[in-house]
Every structure is written in C-alpha cells, then in structure tokens.
Amino acid sequence: MAAAQGHFSDHSDGIRGTEKTAGDRVDPTETNPVPPAFGRAVEGLRAVRLRPEIEVDPTRPPQRLAPYAYALEAAVVDGEDDLADGRLVLLHDPAGHEAWKGTFRLVTLVRAELEPEMAADPLLPEVCWSWLTGAFEARGLAYGEASGTVTMAGSHYFGGLAERRPATQIEIRASWTPREGAAGVPDTGAHLAAWCDLLCQIAGLPPSPADPGAGTTSGAGVVSLPQRRGPQQP
C-alpha cells in the first residue's frame, strides 16, 4: 500500500479511473464530465477520516460492470504486516439497474489469514457475514439487495516449505445497494467507514472508542477474531 495511514494518498482526485463506457476513461477536465451525483459520491469516499491502522489508496476500477466506476484498496497494517486487506468498488448507472434497484452499487472483497484452530469453527462463515450487516446497522445505514459469499481456503506446505505452519484464509465477497439520499446521492463516506469496521474486525483489532458501534456486537455471540500473525515470509 502506498497511501498514508488513515486517509487517501494525495495523488487521488476521486474521479480519475472512472469509466464512461466500457474501456473509455473519463477525465474531469474533458468537456463531458462525470455525472454530478457520481462525482459527489466519490468525494464522499475521499472525505472520510479512518483509523490510523488502515492504509487506503485508489486503484484501477473494473470495466464493463457499470458506465461509471471508482475503486479503492485498503489494508489493516500492524508494523510491516498486513492483517487484512480488501477492495471496495463504487458503481454508478444513471439509468438505474434492475438487479440493484437503484443507480449505485458497492462491491467488495475482504481477505484475512486465520489461525488453523479458528478456521475449524463451522459457524465462522455465518459470523463473518453478520459482521458485514452488523457494521451497517451500527452506523444506521439503509441498504438493500445485499448478496455475497464467505469462503475459507486452507494451505498445507510440503518439501522445501514444510516448516511453514498450515494457513487458512477467509474471503468475503459481497455487494449491496446503498440507499440514495439528497439529490440521489448515497452516503458513501458512511458506507466506507462501515466497510473499514468490517476490515478491522476481521483483522482482529478491538473496536475503536470513536466508532458508533464500539463495544457492541453485530449478533448474539459475535466477537472480534483474536489478533493473528502477519503473512509468513516465503
């Protein structure tokens, strides 16, 4: 991650990297600018103040998913170790999208490494999904059409890598439609903050006292994962 901790890097302008049509970049200096609603939604993402453990940087958005897209990547960092990382994509179709039931959509991928004994919990996928929905509820966010998957994958090492401990990675893929507010613009900043709550929770960080949901759980018996080791060296 190249960004400064807790906020976007200075070289991000919140518009660069959007897609007008599949394969066509939109430059804010061009005579045909991005829709005002999308521009305000992107600026909402850039205005958020995040926990200092989180590093955020804009990245190239996917193509062909929507006429306009903006993407960022983030990592929860402890020293030189990434405890969890993820990607959040904001999509916008001014004409609306039947499956979204709105003109905006947020799509995410979140990953973290678990201790093997934790991965043995059969309820862990349900718990991790509840962290996502609980993060929205803790911040009072309205959303719809949520869908996704929680996947666990284990690795065992042999031969020259046999001294490594078995590793299990959990991966959350999800998308949801943020409810639109004034002028048809959703509170993207609040959704980013909730997403970062999920990222910190799956990384095993304790809740921040400044967070709206600090000290609460997102479901019965749901607690943060214990602190995990960072990525193993090759």
Side-chain angles (χ1 to χ4, degrees), residues 8 13-15 18 34-48 68-72 88-93 103-106 178-192:
F8 288 88
D13 63 12
I15 299 294
T18 56
V34 298
F38 181 68
R40 288 194 291 271
V42 172
E43 287 303 316
L45 293 173
R46 297 183 64 248
V48 179
Y68 301 90
Y70 178 84
L72 59 86
L88 185 68
V89 181
L90 174 67
L91 304 176
H92 179 53
D93 187 341
T103 63
F104 286 90
R105 187 76 171 170
L106 285 163
R179 286 292 177 254
E180 297 168 14
V185 182
D187 189 350
T188 51
H191 281 269
L192 172 59

Side-chain angles (χ1 to χ4, degrees), residues 132-212:
L132 174 64
T133 58
F136 299 148
E137 294 166 5
R139 291 183 178 271
L141 295 175
Y143 66 97
E145 309 307 314
S147 61
T149 62
V150 178
T151 305
M152 291 190 297
S155 298
H156 295 263
Y157 301 95
F158 302 93
L161 302 177
E163 62 183 27
R164 289 191 182 185
R165 296 177 59 185
T168 300
Q169 186 180 75
I170 192 162
E171 179 181 279
I172 302 174
R173 293 179 180 267
S175 63
W176 66 95
T177 299
R179 286 292 177 254
E180 297 168 14
V185 182
D187 189 350
T188 51
H191 281 269
L192 172 59
W195 179 73
C196 287
D197 293 342
L198 167 67
L199 201 63
C200 289
Q201 193 161 23
I202 200 171
L205 296 186
S208 169
D211 290 342

Side-chain angles (χ1 to χ4, degrees), residues 49-140:
R49 294 182 61 86
L50 303 173
R51 292 180 59 164
E53 300 94 340
I54 300 175
E55 295 185 357
V56 184
D57 207 16
T59 187
R60 182 179 176 84
Q63 298 182 16
R64 301 182 179 88
L65 293 181
Y68 301 90
Y70 178 84
L72 59 86
E73 57 186 6
V76 179
V77 179
D78 179 18
E80 297 183 355
D81 293 332
D82 286 0
L83 302 180
D85 64 76
R87 194 168 190 249
L88 185 68
V89 181
L90 174 67
L91 304 176
H92 179 53
D93 187 341
H97 196 290
E98 182 178 356
W100 302 352
K101 291 183 170 55
T103 63
F104 286 90
R105 187 76 171 170
L106 285 163
V107 182
T108 187
L109 164 66
V110 172
R111 297 171 298 194
E113 186 178 319
L114 306 177
E115 294 289 354
E117 58 271 18
M118 298 174 61
D121 185 350
L123 297 179
L124 189 59
E126 287 81 1
V127 168
C128 288
W129 183 258
S130 76
W131 287 346
L132 174 64
T133 58
F136 299 148
E137 294 166 5
R139 291 183 178 271

